Amino acid sequence: MDKPTIVLASHNVNKLIELKQSLDKSVRFLSLNDIGFHQDIPETATTLEANALLKAKTVSRFCQLPTLSDDTGLFVKALNGLPGVRSARYAGERATTNQNIEKLLTAMEQNRDRSAIFRTVFCLFHHHEPHFIKGEVEGLITTKKQGEKGFGYDPIFIPQGHQHTFGQMSLDQKNLYSHRAKAINALSDFLLYNKFPRAIGVQLL
């Protein structure tokens, strides 16, 4: 029996790997390269939900398939929620991961309160209808990078109750605690509960 197909509206290979590892038994994921979508989608909204919806709607209209997008933000209490929705562009529109991390560590140099929240919002879009699924984890910002694994701010974020950053954890370890893992688990429950693909009329390839 063919698996239902969902397009992941992201050029980030790491995100596709995470989803496939968690959901590939029941869902077939296609990348943007698989469907021939190569343009960048400006994330111009002011919330994670709105950015996720913008990306999912754009790609779904292009391929006429159910599309899953996400937006993730690191919300640091001492910085009034920054970098937040601009986490990927904190140091500039074309900033690298290291530039974003360095700017954040510099901004936090004089702050004793290192608390932060990592939050992920998924948007599953099909037949003009969005479904939002969320996951978050509390933790602390380190004073320097620790670990080379993961991506984004993983090397400077220690999840609550642990001693190591996400950047020091294997993917299996990270998936036990991370905001994305919680969102993926919630997504899995959503698909199962709603008897996916029948509930949203997913096209089978």
Side-chain angles (χ1 to χ4, degrees):
M1 181 177 177
D2 291 333
K3 296 178 182 179
T5 299
I6 297 176
V7 176
L8 177 62
S10 173
H11 292 288
N12 190 318
V13 176
N14 292 301
K15 292 181 178 181
L16 186 63
I17 291 172
E18 282 187 345
L19 283 171
K20 283 188 172 184
Q21 180 168 312
S22 300
L23 296 174
D24 197 40
K25 292 181 181 180
S26 57
V27 178
R28 178 189 180 198
F29 282 100
L30 297 179
S31 69
L32 293 181
N33 285 335
D34 290 331
I35 64 169
F37 187 98
H38 304 295
Q39 68 190 70
D40 289 325
I41 304 172
E43 298 180 14
T44 55
T46 58
T47 66
L48 299 181
E49 290 83 356
N51 272 333
L53 176 59
L54 175 64
K55 290 182 286 187
K57 184 185 294 186
T58 300
V59 174
S60 183
R61 287 176 174 173
F62 174 84
C63 64
Q64 299 300 306
L65 285 170
T67 301
L68 181 71
S69 69
D70 78 290
D71 200 19
T72 293
L74 177 62
F75 297 80
V76 181
K77 183 177 180 181
L79 302 180
N80 297 316
L82 291 175
V85 71
R86 291 191 56 81
S87 291
R89 305 172 299 283
Y90 185 45
E93 290 300 320
R94 298 187 180 277
T96 65
T97 294
N98 283 334
Q99 288 171 334
N100 286 330
I101 287 176
E102 289 304 317
K103 180 175 180 178
L104 180 56
L105 291 179
T106 299
M108 289 292 289
E109 283 180 351
Q110 305 302 319
N111 289 296
R112 291 185 178 181
D113 185 353
R114 316 289 296 190
S115 59
I117 295 176
F118 244 141
R119 184 175 296 125
T120 288
V121 176
F122 281 119
C123 178
L124 178 62
F125 188 86
H126 191 53
H127 285 168
H128 310 290
E129 185 176 2
H131 303 275
F132 294 100
I133 300 99
K134 305 176 185 181
E136 66 179 36
V137 60
E138 297 180 7
L140 299 173
I141 302 298
T142 60
T143 57
K144 62 181 180 179
K145 289 179 64 176
Q146 298 177 28
E148 300 295 331
K149 299 175 183 177
F151 55 94
Y153 295 92
D154 284 355
I156 62 169
F157 183 86
I158 300 176
Q160 190 175 67
H162 297 275
Q163 310 250 325
H164 301 289
T165 68
F166 281 147
Q168 293 172 298
M169 296 181 183
S170 68
L171 183 56
D172 286 340
Q173 291 173 318
K174 179 183 173 183
N175 282 345
L176 294 175
Y177 316 111
S178 80
H179 48 297
R180 284 187 57 80
K182 291 180 179 180
I184 290 171
N185 289 336
L187 172 64
S188 179
D189 290 342
F190 173 84
L191 298 180
L192 179 63
Y193 179 79
N194 287 279
K195 298 181 180 179
F196 185 83
R198 183 178 62 190
I200 61 171
V202 65
Q203 176 179 340
L204 298 178
L205 297 184

